Amino acid sequence: MRLLAILLALVWSGPIWAATAVVRSGEHDGFTRLVAYLPEGVAWDLAESANAARLTTTPSVQFDTSTIYDRIGRDRFSEVLQGRSNSPLELSYLCSCEFRTQLLPGNVLVIDLVDKKPDAVLPVVERPRSSARVPESVKVNTVSQADAKAVTEAATNNLPSMTEEGSPDQAARLAELEAMILQQVARAATQGLLKPGNKSRPVKNSDTPAIADQGVEAPVSPVSVPVEQAGGAVLHSSMIEDQHGDKPVTSDGRACLPDEALNVTEWRGEQPFTFELGQLRRDLMTELDRTRDETALATAKFYVGYGFGPEALGALAMMGDPGGEAQIVASMARILEYGHDPEPSAFAHQMDCDTHAAFWATLAHPAITPDMAPEVPAIMRTMNELPLMMRQYLGPILAERFIAAKDPGTAERLLRVVERGGETSEDRHILAEGKLNLAKGDSDQGKATLARAVGEGSEISPEALIAMVETELEEGNPVSRETAELVAAYALQFRNSDLAIDLLRVEILARAGAGQFETAFEILDQRAADNLDPLAVDRLRNRVAGLVTQSAPDAEFMAHALDLATRHVPTIDVATGNALSARLLDLGFPDLAEPFLSEGAEGAEGRARRILRSEVALATGRPLRAEAELVGLEGVEIDALRARARSESGDHGAASAVYSRLNQVDAAEDQAWLAGRWSDLSESEDPLKASVATLMKSTDTAPTSPEMGELAQNRRLLQDTAAAKSTLEQLLSRYEVSVAD
């Protein structure tokens, strides 16, 4: 293990130029944001020219800009590209904008392209010029942001206050000196001599109120200002934190929990686990055996840092007066224990924050609903900064959330972060991989991966089996009897667990999918009725009825359809009722089909229902009702039904006209025959029908000319009689005529 750790350290400490800086984007009101995740130790410089800027890093890195335009348009940034490997990143824009930059902990560079305000006038501070030459290479110690601010404050402590009595000259000198100090610090940041510290200072509970009690004041965003201009290029830098600028807030204006309040890595301490835990336990009780609240909170944080949720909750329970910070830690502990927060969470409304809060807020919800908008870049940043074991545990859980929310892209990125940490937590990771394959459309690979997870026989095997059965049913595939029996076994084994409801539901569907319809309905009427709410039972009954309609043999289908028609018609939804009625009509049972069509419906299903009602009316001898059901509908199938209704009501002429418009020649001629419209048949391509039409027309218009002699008239009658006899013989030979006894 020690050798493996040494090898990993060597691998991860490779040359910095081999790393890739991922660039993300976001569109906001008034500005467009780019976020570059620079490797640690990389310095940066942004040089601006006309409608363009160039981001240069030292040493050079490769920028990944593949997903920039997934979330932004080209209204501001018209082009963001890197010409060749490890060259500067070129930023082109067309708007009347200016750049604003920030450098966040972890060497995360934020570049905002902000719309200019027409009336804005930026103050210009003249910097005293010096003739002294600056050495080309100066060795300086990197100081933290907090230390730099302390130096600035100390430099101004002995100066006269603006509010104290003094001459105007003193006040002017004070303002000039303060501006000069801030400008010099900005220059140092631009040149890479000053960087924000990565570690937050510890805060004692006894001195500082809890975070939630203070309204969760987030850290102030640094403000970027131009500090030097040369040759038309303006250099930008991140200034030290001051009391100005916008605080990170949610879309509805709530303050975001800052990263410093959620840095679980620091909660673990610097010493080995057993040493840190032993120290906390020793400090946990005072000489009066009363728990120290601050030590109990520190112990809870320590447990959360190592992923122990129940232990953290136990430590918090020892606090006499848990404040807002304790509520945050408690929510994180419940997330570690249950995979979400079953109680009202301290992370409510924090999902769109650009801090670690977005990660925990997304996990706090059992599902990502369409009205939620997680801040994915912040989530990915948090994932990369979590301790390895916590990353491997929470990563697959969060990936499954995004898969269920129809966002497989984010889920895949989360799983790749998990895999970069080395050996993964096999069971949960396999389950998430299987679901991801299904979400990406690779059904065969997804089902194979889920089957492997089922075969592991671990705690995630029931979840994998549920996903596998649901996939088979969604694809219209049958479920094997062995699979149905395995689901039933798991349902019995986990009947008192959180999976009990899902396993019961899938057992019913698996039984139906395996053709065990009688068993499925028995479970539905007994166990499901006792354990599920009525709406869930109705939904399951409809799904089972749909499977019966789809695949049950005729006799078995009729038995279950009769039971449904007798006892459960009000609970059958429109789609299932339509399917049941269509099959009953095909089998010749319109009376049994009609009850399932009693309720009205809208949309495509409502149209299908009206057509089925018309067919039921025709099958039960009610042509006028059939035609009434079709009022307002258009289409070929609608006209065909109208023609049938007209025919059955005796209006064969109208039926013939409709069939002619539909180009159904045979049906049109049959209706014309019944209507006695022989002229419509005289041009028929069927010689027999044309002969009959000619015969019937000649009968109606037999010649009675007085000029024709009696012999000629008799000869003509004999010819007509012979033709009529031939036509009748052909009719008798083509159509069978049943003769009653």
Side-chain angles (χ1 to χ4, degrees):
M1 290 301 293
R2 180 174 297 177
L3 177 59
L4 177 60
I6 294 174
L7 290 174
L8 288 174
L10 291 174
V11 169
W12 287 107
S13 63
I16 197 167
W17 48 263
T20 299
V22 178
V23 182
R24 301 300 184 216
S25 61
E27 201 73 70
H28 301 272
D29 186 17
F31 67 95
T32 300
R33 170 166 292 180
L34 300 182
V35 181
Y37 297 88
L38 301 177
E40 289 291 345
V42 170
W44 60 274
D45 175 59
L46 186 68
E48 182 184 0
S49 58
N51 290 334
R54 171 175 292 186
L55 177 61
T56 306
T57 59
T58 306
S60 300
V61 298
Q62 180 67 37
F63 289 100
D64 178 5
T65 61
S66 58
T67 61
I68 282 182
Y69 287 103
D70 291 351
R71 300 187 64 180
I72 65 173
R74 296 181 183 268
D75 297 337
R76 295 191 181 92
F77 282 109
S78 59
E79 197 66 64
V80 179
L81 55 86
Q82 188 173 25
R84 54 184 174 78
S85 179
N86 296 337
S87 64
L89 185 65
E90 305 291 344
L91 312 174
S92 301
Y93 63 96
L94 301 175
C95 59
S96 176
C97 300
E98 59 188 357
F99 283 100
R100 181 178 66 199
T101 61
Q102 310 177 48
L103 187 63
L104 303 180
N107 217 21
V108 178
L109 175 61
V110 178
I111 302 174
D112 292 338
L113 188 59
V114 186
D115 295 337
K116 286 184 179 179
K117 296 181 179 179
D119 300 326
V121 178
L122 297 177
V124 179
V125 179
E126 292 292 336
R127 182 172 54 86
R129 299 184 179 273
S130 173
S131 60
R133 297 183 59 188
V134 179
E136 294 183 1
S137 176
V138 180
K139 183 177 181 181
V140 262
N141 295 325
T142 301
V143 296
S144 70
Q145 186 175 4
D147 292 336
K149 186 176 181 182
V151 172
T152 305
E153 293 172 347
T156 58
N157 277 343
N158 297 324
L159 293 174
S161 170
M162 294 287 289
T163 58
E164 294 176 353
E165 293 184 2
S167 68
D169 291 340
Q170 287 179 321
R173 287 198 304 272
L174 173 62
E176 181 180 356
L177 183 56
E178 287 180 337
M180 185 190 307
I181 292 172
L182 291 176
Q183 191 176 30
Q184 295 296 337
V185 173
R187 174 188 291 276
T190 301
Q191 297 173 348
L193 304 180
L194 177 64
K195 296 183 180 179
N198 289 334
K199 292 187 177 181
S200 60
R201 296 177 178 271
V203 179
K204 296 182 180 180
N205 283 13
S206 57
D207 299 330
T208 305
I211 291 178
D213 295 338
Q214 300 178 38
V216 195
E217 287 293 326
V220 179
S221 300
V223 180
S224 132
V225 295
V227 296
E228 184 174 353
Q229 185 168 355
V234 181
L235 302 180
H236 292 255
S237 70
S238 296
M239 290 187 61
I240 61 171
E241 179 180 350
D242 61 11
Q243 298 304 314
H244 304 284
D246 297 329
K247 294 180 173 63
V249 295
T250 65
S251 58
D252 56 358
R254 301 170 187 264
C256 290
L257 291 168
D259 285 344
E260 291 78 5
L262 306 171
N263 195 341
V264 296
T265 302
E266 290 192 352
W267 296 354
R268 297 158 66 102
E270 298 179 356
Q271 300 298 325
F273 176 86
T274 53
F275 179 87
E276 292 280 355
L277 182 59
Q279 186 68 39
L280 288 168
R281 285 179 172 174
R282 281 193 296 271
D283 296 342
L284 195 57
M285 303 300 292
T286 66
E287 64 277 4
L288 298 177
D289 289 338
R290 297 180 62 185
T291 304
R292 295 183 178 181
D293 282 359
E294 62 270 24
T295 308
L297 180 59
T299 304
K301 286 183 172 182
F302 175 78
Y303 278 128
V304 167
Y306 278 96
F308 297 117
E311 291 79 1
L313 292 172
L316 292 172
M318 302 173 70
M319 296 181 64
D321 183 21
E325 190 174 7
Q327 295 172 14
I328 295 170
V329 178
S331 182
M332 298 168 76
R334 290 191 294 268
I335 290 169
L336 291 170
E337 172 65 6
Y338 305 109
H340 68 281
D341 192 350
E343 300 181 19
S345 174
F347 295 100
H349 309 289
Q350 298 277 307
M351 193 179 290
D352 59 346
C353 287
D354 193 17
T355 68
H356 294 327
F359 177 87
W360 294 99
T362 306
L363 277 171
H365 294 276
I368 301 174
T369 57
D371 60 316
M372 297 177 180
E375 184 66 18
V376 174
I379 291 172
M380 298 304 302
R381 175 169 58 86
T382 305
M383 265 291 292
N384 280 284
E385 295 178 13
L386 285 176
L388 176 61
M389 294 299 293
M390 192 177 294
R391 191 162 67 237
Q392 291 179 343
Y393 171 64
L394 294 176
I397 295 175
L398 192 55
E400 289 183 57
R401 297 277 161 82
F402 280 99
I403 292 169
K406 310 299 182 185
D407 186 0
T410 300
E412 186 169 20
R413 290 164 57 197
L414 287 166
L415 291 181
R416 298 298 83 85
V417 172
V418 173
E419 292 167 1
R420 284 202 298 268
E423 184 179 355
T424 61
S425 174
E426 279 297 315
D427 296 337
R428 179 62 61 178
H429 191 268
I430 292 175
L431 176 61
E433 282 285 358
K435 291 183 177 180
L436 178 61
N437 289 327
L438 293 176
K440 292 166 61 178
D442 191 350
S443 176
D444 292 340
Q445 182 62 42
K447 288 189 287 189
T449 305
L450 291 175
R452 182 157 61 95
V454 173
E456 294 288 335
S458 63
E459 62 179 8
I460 56 91
S461 293
E463 294 180 66
L465 186 60
I466 289 171
M468 192 168 66
V469 170
E470 289 181 331
T471 301
E472 295 289 9
L473 293 174
E474 287 174 4
E475 294 178 352
N477 300 326
V479 177
S480 68
R481 289 181 175 268
E482 292 78 9
T483 299
E485 294 297 337
L486 182 58
V487 176
Y490 274 128
L492 179 62
Q493 179 181 349
F494 292 92
R495 62 187 179 277
N496 296 320
S497 73
D498 294 338
L499 284 175
I501 298 300
D502 283 338
L503 284 169
L504 175 59
R505 174 180 58 82
V506 174
E507 180 189 359
I508 293 170
L509 296 177
R511 296 286 193 184
Q516 300 173 347
F517 302 112
E518 189 69 33
T519 304
F521 278 116
E522 286 179 0
I523 299 173
L524 189 63
D525 291 336
Q526 298 171 11
R527 286 164 45 200
D530 294 335
N531 294 279
L532 302 178
D533 63 82
L535 288 178
V537 173
D538 291 344
R539 285 194 295 267
L540 278 172
R541 179 172 286 108
N542 277 280
R543 291 194 65 180
V544 174
L547 292 170
V548 167
T549 306
Q550 176 184 330
S551 58
D554 288 345
E556 191 170 5
F557 166 76
M558 286 299 302
H560 292 299
L562 181 60
D563 180 66
L564 290 169
T566 304
R567 299 195 299 142
H568 299 294
V569 167
T571 67
I572 301 300
D573 60 37
V574 176
T576 305
N578 287 353
L580 283 164
S581 299
R583 186 168 180 185
L584 287 168
L585 277 169
D586 289 341
L587 293 174
F589 294 93
D591 292 328
L592 194 57
E594 191 167 16
F596 294 110
L597 305 173
S598 59
E599 297 294 329
E602 301 294 333
E605 291 179 343
R607 173 188 170 88
R609 170 151 292 193
R610 291 177 65 183
I611 292 172
L612 287 167
R613 284 175 173 173
S614 180
E615 291 180 345
V616 167
L618 287 172
T620 54
R622 295 173 291 169
L624 296 179
R625 172 67 180 273
E627 193 167 1
E629 291 287 354
L630 304 176
V631 172
L633 299 182
E634 301 292 338
V636 174
E637 59 182 338
I638 303 300
D639 288 340
L641 281 172
R642 285 197 178 101
R644 284 178 56 192
R646 294 289 178 87
S647 174
E648 294 192 17
S649 63
D651 192 353
H652 300 294
S656 177
V658 175
Y659 282 130
S660 295
R661 290 199 305 270
L662 297 175
N663 201 28
Q664 298 183 21
V665 177
D666 291 340
E669 290 180 349
D670 290 343
Q671 293 301 313
W673 184 309
L674 293 172
R677 297 171 59 172
W678 309 115
S679 58
D680 293 348
L681 296 173
S682 59
E683 301 297 329
S684 174
E685 295 181 0
D686 186 341
L688 180 58
K689 291 180 179 178
S691 297
V692 172
T694 301
L695 176 63
M696 299 304 294
K697 288 172 64 178
S698 64
T699 302
D700 294 338
T701 59
T704 57
S705 175
E707 291 83 6
M708 185 179 292
E710 184 176 347
L711 183 59
Q713 291 182 17
N714 291 336
R715 187 182 302 113
R716 177 63 179 271
L717 288 173
L718 289 173
Q719 291 174 352
D720 291 345
T721 301
K725 180 181 179 183
S726 175
T727 300
L728 291 173
E729 286 176 349
Q730 293 180 51
L731 282 172
L732 292 173
S733 64
R734 176 180 292 187
Y735 302 107
E736 256 183 57
V737 179
S738 59
V739 181
D741 294 336

